[in-house]
């Protein structure tokens, strides 16, 4: 308890500042919708999402300080708290729900309605809040000195160094604007193809390509050179070793699950029929091994968290900085969520399944909260938790007689809620850590999380429905890699109809990586995704490596250069996501001649710059990222806790 007594937040408890204001609510809701929608689009393209807390914080400072001429760090913190909620819901939704749309496209069942998706997303978000609130005192306050919550600390630094807020926000908006224009030229009017692709005839079965898109370069920069190099290693294994081997030895053989001879397949045929199953096995094995490897920490985490909750010290005086939402409101929210899940006709979840959700949800929320405090959100094994949940829930449903499409949809809905619960608990922990450092009011932040959940849940449901109507899931435009993996896992358990030989090749590949002490998941994801996604990620990672290795006058200048790149990359991701959703709207708006608006603005039939044009434009885009990184900037003050 000494740490709690000695720690002094940036804003004292007795200082009254604007915090939960109309401005912060409206701006927070807008950012929750924007970053939630952008992350949903990104996740469906690439299979991963990025944190929205820091870009939301700098945009908030730019708007509130520079445009509105107001000055309140707590108001800015509230904006990023509400705004970052969309990222959590997007992660859980896009990892699972597109599987139901894919089954419907295959003739198994019907796609979920807008209200069904919204209620499932909102239920998961609210459960994450319900389970996280009682943990705040134990994990955020009592263990402030031992659980760093790196993303939360970084966001607090950004907020405290708020004098640079206007310039930082300009960097985000610059990335957003350039990426939005680029995306519209590439995938709207289609001046050049957004995917450059080459197959090597003399090395039959191999090929290389690059999706020349802003979000991929941005994600690569944020992930950094190490993660992106692991991913390109997995992609190289797939496209330059496994696929040529299949082509060399396959000949005219027809091998399940394909119905055509291997000799007639191009690179995409080889990848779609064989490599993605090998990759799925590797990713699933990597996720489960990550979970198993974390079991001692998970068990200790859960035990320590429960002990901390029971061992609450009495608080002499209640002030705004140690006040949480009361238990009666949390129990009411829990009852409402259970009622929604059980009583909504479109959600195939019974009372027994709701109990599974509560049990797994509380366990994984507790684990997620503490683990992100230790290793950060990016290393939180949410995918492993989701796979384990899906396997167990599918087995239980199968044993209980709930089989076929209805059983598989039920399993996906259970997995969706739990995935969102885990993601929300991790993100909310970082937000509460930020609030604790800057001196925010926890109960107001918790209300802000509820608002962000409601807004982004309604928005993401619309985005998922819109994107499915425009392009469908599982194709080149929206491969939905994580949802495709979850679909394979459930089908494999429920129907036993997977090409298990290919899946187990991936499993043993993952085991070899583990034996060699190579991080399994990034390599497995590179194996699972087309090489066209890993190449631009690697390029973005190399830009960050160049900045890290470049000589600067001081370490502060180096950190500023890296930070510039993160903010610009965040803007690029948001810009592409927004225009991607706009183009989905264009793809379903019918014109008078029978064409869609998207087809009407497409000039590729008459003129295209081709693959060379794609590479030139992408090189120019990457050059803007490098230029922003190396831009001179005045020194910012940092807050040392």
């Amino acid at each position: 308890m000494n740490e709690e007594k000695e720690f002094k937040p940036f804003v004292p408890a007795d200082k009254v500042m604007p915090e939960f204001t109309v401005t912060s609510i409206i701006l927070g809701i807008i950012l929750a919708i924007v970053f939630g929608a952008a992350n949903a689009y990104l996740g469906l393209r690439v299979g991963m999402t990025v944190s929205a807390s820091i870009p939301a914080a700098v945009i908030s400072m730019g708007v509130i300080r520079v445009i509105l001429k107001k000055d309140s760090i707590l108001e800015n913190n509230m904006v990023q708290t509400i705004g970052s909620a969309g990222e959590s819901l997007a992660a859980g939704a896009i990892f699972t729900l597109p599987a139901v749309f894919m089954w419907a496209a295959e003739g198994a069942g019907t796609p979920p309605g807008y209200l069904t998706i919204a209620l499932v997303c909102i239920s998961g978000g609210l459960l994450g809040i319900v389970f996280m609130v009682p943990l705040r005192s134990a994990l955020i306050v009592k263990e402030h000195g031992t659980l760093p919550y790196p993303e939360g600390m970084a966001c607090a630094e950004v907020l405290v160094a708020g004098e640079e807020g206007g310039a930082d926000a300009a960097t985000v908006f610059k990335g957003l604007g350039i990426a939005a224009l680029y995306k519209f030229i590439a995938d709207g009017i289609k001046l050049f193809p957004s995917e450059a692709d080459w197959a090597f005839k003399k090395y039959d079965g191999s090929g290389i390509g690059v999706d020349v898109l802003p979000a991929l370069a941005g994600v690569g920069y944020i992930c950094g050179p190490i993660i992106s190099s692991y991913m390109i290693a997995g992609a190289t294994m797939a496209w330059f070793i496994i696929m040529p081997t299949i082509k060399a030895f396959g000949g005219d053989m027809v091998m399940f699950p394909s119905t055509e001879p291997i000799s007639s397949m191009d690179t995409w045929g080889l990848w779609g029929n064989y490599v993605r199953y090998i990759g799925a096995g590797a990713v699933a094995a990597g996720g489960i091994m990550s979970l198993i490897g974390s079991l001692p920490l998970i068990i200790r985490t859960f035990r320590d968290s429960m002990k901390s909750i029971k061992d609450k010290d009495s608080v002499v005086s209640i002030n705004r900085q140690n006040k949480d939402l009361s238990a009666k409101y949390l129990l009411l929210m829990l009852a409402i969520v259970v009622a929604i899940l059980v009583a909504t006709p479109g959600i195939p979840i019974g009372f027994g399944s709701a109990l599974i959700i509560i049990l797994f949800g509380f366990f994984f929320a507790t684990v997620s909260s503490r683990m992100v405090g230790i290793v950060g959100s990016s290393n939180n094994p949410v995918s492993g938790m989701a796979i384990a949940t899906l396997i167990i829930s599918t087995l239980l449903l199968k044993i209980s007689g709930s089989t076929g499409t209805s059983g598989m949809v039920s399993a996906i809905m259970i997995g969706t809620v739990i995935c969102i619960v885990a993601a929300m608990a991790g993100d909310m922990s970082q937000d509460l850590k930020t609030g604790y450092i800057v001196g925010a009011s926890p109960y107001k932040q918790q209300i802000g999380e509820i608002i962000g959940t409601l807004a982004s849940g309604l928005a993401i449901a619309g985005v998922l429905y819109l994107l499915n109507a425009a392009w469908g899931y599982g194709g080149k435009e929206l491969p939905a890699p994580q949802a495709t993996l979850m679909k394979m896992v459930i089908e494999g358990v429920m129907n036993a109809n997977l090409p298990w030989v290919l899946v187990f090749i991936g499993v043993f590949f993952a085991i070899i990586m583990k034996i060699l002490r190579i991080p399994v998941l990034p390599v497995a994801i590179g194996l699972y995704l087309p090489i066209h996604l890993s190449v631009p990620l690697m390029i973005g990672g190399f830009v960050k490596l160049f900045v890290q290795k470049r000589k600067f006058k001081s370490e502060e200048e180096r950190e500023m250069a890296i930070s510039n790149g993160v903010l610009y990359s965040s803007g690029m991701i948001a810009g592409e996501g927004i225009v991607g959703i706009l183009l989905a709207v264009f793809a379903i708006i019918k014109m008078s001649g029978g064409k869609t608006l998207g087809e009407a603005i497409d000039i590729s039939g008459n003129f295209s710059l081709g693959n060379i044009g794609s590479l030139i434009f992408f090189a120019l885009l990457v050059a803007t990222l490098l230029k922003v990184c190396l831009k001179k900037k005045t020194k910012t003050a940092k807050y040392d806790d």
Side-chain angles (χ1 to χ4, degrees):
M1 287 300 295
N2 290 335
E3 184 69 40
E4 183 186 354
K5 289 176 183 176
E6 293 173 2
F7 177 75
K8 301 291 184 185
F10 186 75
V11 178
D14 57 358
K15 185 173 182 178
V16 178
M17 293 180 71
E19 184 173 7
F20 194 72
T21 63
V22 173
T23 300
S24 65
I25 293 170
I26 293 173
L27 188 54
I29 287 173
I30 292 170
L31 293 179
I33 292 170
V34 168
F35 282 105
N39 262 315
Y41 181 80
L42 176 68
L44 291 165
R45 283 294 299 250
V46 192
M48 62 181 72
T49 57
V50 294
S51 175
S53 295
I54 290 177
V58 297
I59 290 173
S60 168
M61 288 188 290
V63 172
I64 291 176
R65 291 175 184 273
V66 178
I67 298 175
L68 301 179
K69 306 298 183 185
K70 297 169 69 179
D71 185 14
S72 172
I73 190 172
L74 301 187
E75 202 171 9
N76 291 318
N77 179 61
M78 182 58 64
V79 173
Q80 74 83 17
T81 298
I82 298 172
S84 64
E87 167 210 338
S88 306
L89 267 70
I94 58 96
F95 276 23
T96 50
L97 282 175
V100 184
F101 287 98
M102 286 187 269
W103 280 321
E106 294 168 2
T110 56
Y114 168 82
L115 186 61
T116 299
I117 300 172
L119 289 176
V120 168
C121 292
I122 290 170
S123 296
L126 293 179
L127 279 181
I129 295 167
V130 168
F131 295 147
M132 182 57 220
V133 169
L135 298 172
R136 187 196 69 85
S137 176
L139 301 184
I140 308 298
V141 179
K142 291 183 180 179
E143 299 201 44
H144 174 64
T146 55
L147 292 178
Y149 288 98
E151 287 90 347
M153 295 281 285
C155 191
E157 271 198 347
V158 169
L159 287 168
V160 173
E163 293 80 8
E164 287 292 308
D168 285 343
T171 304
V172 178
F173 282 119
K174 189 183 296 182
L176 191 152
I178 289 173
L181 177 62
Y182 182 103
K183 175 72 172 178
F184 188 78
I185 293 171
D187 282 343
I189 64 175
K190 299 188 178 179
L191 178 63
F192 56 88
S194 60
E195 182 177 88
D197 184 66
W198 295 270
F200 301 112
K201 292 181 180 179
K202 291 188 177 180
Y203 189 33
D204 202 10
S206 68
I208 195 168
V210 51
D211 281 6
V212 290
L213 292 171
L216 298 176
V219 170
Y221 183 91
I222 291 171
C223 289
I226 295 175
I227 296 297
S228 57
S229 64
Y230 284 134
M231 289 186 67
I232 198 67
T236 302
M237 169 66 74
W239 287 70
F240 287 94
I241 297 177
I242 297 175
M243 285 162 51
T245 302
I246 293 172
K247 198 68 182 280
F249 291 101
D252 293 328
M253 181 177 63
V254 177
M255 186 171 72
F256 179 77
S258 176
T259 56
E260 62 177 296
I262 290 173
S263 60
S264 67
M265 291 183 188
D266 61 6
T267 52
W268 285 106
L270 292 168
W271 175 81
N273 285 294
Y274 304 117
V275 172
R276 72 187 183 111
Y277 290 102
I278 297 172
V283 173
I288 292 171
M289 283 193 287
S290 172
L291 196 62
I292 292 171
S294 302
L295 272 179
L297 176 60
I298 287 171
I299 294 168
R300 187 167 66 251
T301 289
F302 191 75
R303 185 189 64 227
D304 292 347
S305 299
M306 294 302 97
K307 185 179 177 182
S308 297
I309 291 174
K310 291 178 183 177
D311 187 30
K312 279 190 176 179
D313 294 343
S314 59
V315 179
V316 177
S317 61
I318 297 290
N319 62 52
R320 66 174 186 82
Q321 289 182 341
N322 56 32
K323 182 181 177 183
D324 292 298
L325 285 176
S326 68
K328 65 180 180 181
Y329 292 123
L330 299 179
L331 290 172
L332 178 62
M333 282 170 58
L334 181 62
I336 290 171
V337 168
V338 171
I340 288 171
L341 293 175
V342 173
T344 303
I347 304 176
I349 291 176
F351 191 72
S353 297
L355 290 178
I356 292 174
I357 288 172
I358 292 171
L359 180 66
F360 276 88
F362 180 66
F363 179 73
F364 283 141
T366 307
V367 168
S368 178
S369 175
R370 193 178 187 95
M371 285 193 72
V372 300
I374 299 169
V375 298
S377 296
S378 57
N379 296 309
N380 191 16
V382 172
S383 60
M385 297 178 194
I387 291 168
T389 301
L390 287 173
I391 291 172
I392 294 169
S393 58
T394 305
L395 283 171
L396 291 174
L397 288 165
K398 190 175 181 179
I399 291 168
S400 67
S402 181
T403 57
T405 303
S406 62
M408 293 192 297
V409 172
S410 295
I412 276 290
M413 292 298 183
I414 293 169
T416 301
V417 176
I418 292 173
C419 202
I420 293 174
V421 166
M424 175 60 80
D427 175 73
M428 187 174 171
S429 299
Q430 304 287 6
D431 291 340
L432 290 172
K433 182 70 166 185
T434 302
Y436 181 64
I437 293 169
V438 302
S441 308
Y443 74 99
K444 291 181 179 178
Q445 279 192 282
Q446 290 151 14
I447 294 170
E449 296 279 2
I450 294 170
I451 293 170
T453 295
L454 295 173
S456 54
L458 294 170
I460 288 166
V463 168
L464 285 174
Y465 215 79
L466 173 67
L467 293 176
N468 181 66
W471 299 300
Y473 298 121
K476 277 191 178 182
E477 186 68 38
L478 293 172
Q482 293 281 7
T484 303
L485 171 63
M486 303 304 173
K487 176 176 177 282
M488 289 180 188
V489 168
I490 291 176
E491 287 174 346
V493 175
M494 190 70 78
N495 302 328
N497 63 350
L498 285 179
W500 286 106
V501 171
L502 298 174
V503 172
F504 277 108
I505 289 172
V507 169
F508 284 103
F509 175 77
I511 291 171
I512 291 170
M513 293 296 102
K514 191 70 175 176
I515 292 169
L516 294 175
R517 298 186 178 181
I518 296 171
V520 177
L521 272 176
V523 179
I525 291 169
L527 180 68
Y528 176 60
L529 295 173
I531 195 171
H532 305 63
L533 298 175
S534 295
V535 170
L537 289 171
M538 179 195 69
I539 292 170
F542 279 179
V543 171
K544 190 171 189 177
L545 180 65
F546 176 81
V547 175
Q548 289 171 336
K549 296 293 184 182
R550 192 172 186 269
K551 288 184 179 180
F552 290 89
K553 291 181 180 178
S554 65
E555 190 59 33
E556 287 79 4
E557 276 196 16
R558 184 189 311 280
E559 289 177 11
M560 286 176 210
I562 294 170
S563 175
N564 280 349
V566 170
L567 295 174
Y568 188 77
S569 296
S570 299
M572 290 202 299
I573 291 164
E576 180 179 334
I578 292 166
V579 174
I581 293 161
L582 179 66
L583 293 177
V585 175
F586 287 2
I588 60 175
I589 295 177
K590 293 288 185 182
M591 304 290 285
S592 56
K595 287 185 175 182
T596 64
L597 181 54
E599 291 169 337
I601 64 172
D602 180 359
I603 66 168
S604 60
N606 300 315
F607 178 76
S608 175
L609 295 176
N611 285 348
I612 300 301
S614 300
L615 296 181
I616 291 171
F617 268 80
F618 191 63
L620 292 172
L621 178 74
V622 172
T624 67
L625 171 59
L626 185 59
K627 183 179 178 182
V628 167
C629 290
L630 302 181
K631 179 184 175 183
K632 295 291 182 184
K633 192 175 168 188
T634 55
K635 182 178 176 180
T636 58
K638 291 197 174 185
Y639 175 60
D640 186 3
D641 71 310

